[in-house]
Amino acid sequence: MAIAIVVFVVFLDQFTKYLAAKYLMPVGSYPVIKHFFHLTYVENRGAAFGMLQNKTLFFIVITVVVGIVLIYSMIKLPENSLYNYTLAMILGGAIGNLIDRVRLGYVVDFIDFKFFPAVFNIADSFIVVGAIILGYLMIFKDGIR
């Protein structure tokens, strides 16, 4: 099941980025709910909030190392555990952004809540949600078993 989650996240991320590049790049931004939620095409050459701009090789190396650690952890954990599913969400998101960095040299972002200081994408969303769930499990469910 964890492998299916990784594949689903990568597919959904890459498909939505394809749509963003095809339809948003020419217009820049499309207000879905004016002044609240827009679809905005951004080529992010950094990390979260645009930090460490143009450090593509650094991000590729870090993502590969983290990916290896995640895969190793998933192998060591019980196959159908919630921990494994959250690691799969994080891994799928990391792979989605890694594909962009290797293929394009930047990550395509397009989800733009106007009250939030950064534009992000599906991969980022899965990484953050997976990390929050994992943190919750580790803190409130007596750690990883």
Side-chain angles (χ1 to χ4, degrees), residues 21-64:
K22 183 172 182 172
Y23 296 107
L24 287 175
M25 189 186 323
V27 297
S29 186
Y30 178 79
V32 177
I33 302 172
K34 200 169 193 168
H35 306 298
F36 179 75
F37 175 64
H38 290 209
L39 296 174
T40 303
Y41 182 82
V42 173
E43 296 175 356
N44 185 355
R45 289 172 167 72
F49 306 104
M51 295 184 304
L52 300 171
Q53 288 290 309
N54 299 312
K55 304 290 185 200
T56 303
L57 182 59
F58 171 76
F59 290 122
I60 290 171
V61 170
I62 292 298
T63 304
V64 168

Side-chain angles (χ1 to χ4, degrees), residues 5-38:
I5 292 171
V6 172
V7 170
F8 171 75
V9 171
V10 172
F11 172 78
L12 182 63
D13 175 64
Q14 289 297 298
F15 181 67
T16 56
K17 288 174 179 175
Y18 163 78
L19 293 175
K22 183 172 182 172
Y23 296 107
L24 287 175
M25 189 186 323
V27 297
S29 186
Y30 178 79
V32 177
I33 302 172
K34 200 169 193 168
H35 306 298
F36 179 75
F37 175 64
H38 290 209

Side-chain angles (χ1 to χ4, degrees), residues 29-139:
S29 186
Y30 178 79
V32 177
I33 302 172
K34 200 169 193 168
H35 306 298
F36 179 75
F37 175 64
H38 290 209
L39 296 174
T40 303
Y41 182 82
V42 173
E43 296 175 356
N44 185 355
R45 289 172 167 72
F49 306 104
M51 295 184 304
L52 300 171
Q53 288 290 309
N54 299 312
K55 304 290 185 200
T56 303
L57 182 59
F58 171 76
F59 290 122
I60 290 171
V61 170
I62 292 298
T63 304
V64 168
V65 170
V66 169
I68 291 168
V69 170
L70 288 170
I71 291 167
Y72 176 80
S73 299
M74 290 170 68
I75 291 168
K76 292 296 182 182
L77 287 169
E79 187 176 327
N80 291 321
S81 71
L82 190 52
Y83 291 104
N84 231 335
Y85 300 153
T86 59
L87 293 178
M89 291 169 63
I90 296 167
L91 180 60
I95 291 170
N97 283 339
L98 178 64
I99 290 169
D100 280 13
R101 288 192 196 284
V102 169
R103 190 170 63 88
L104 304 170
Y106 55 84
V107 173
V108 173
D109 291 331
F110 59 90
I111 301 170
D112 184 9
F113 286 97
K114 291 302 184 181
F115 59 86
F116 191 70
V119 180
F120 56 98
N121 60 44
I122 299 296
D124 299 335
S125 301
F126 274 96
I127 291 169
V128 169
V129 170
I132 289 168
I133 295 169
L134 182 62
Y136 172 83
L137 292 172
M138 293 176 74
I139 292 169

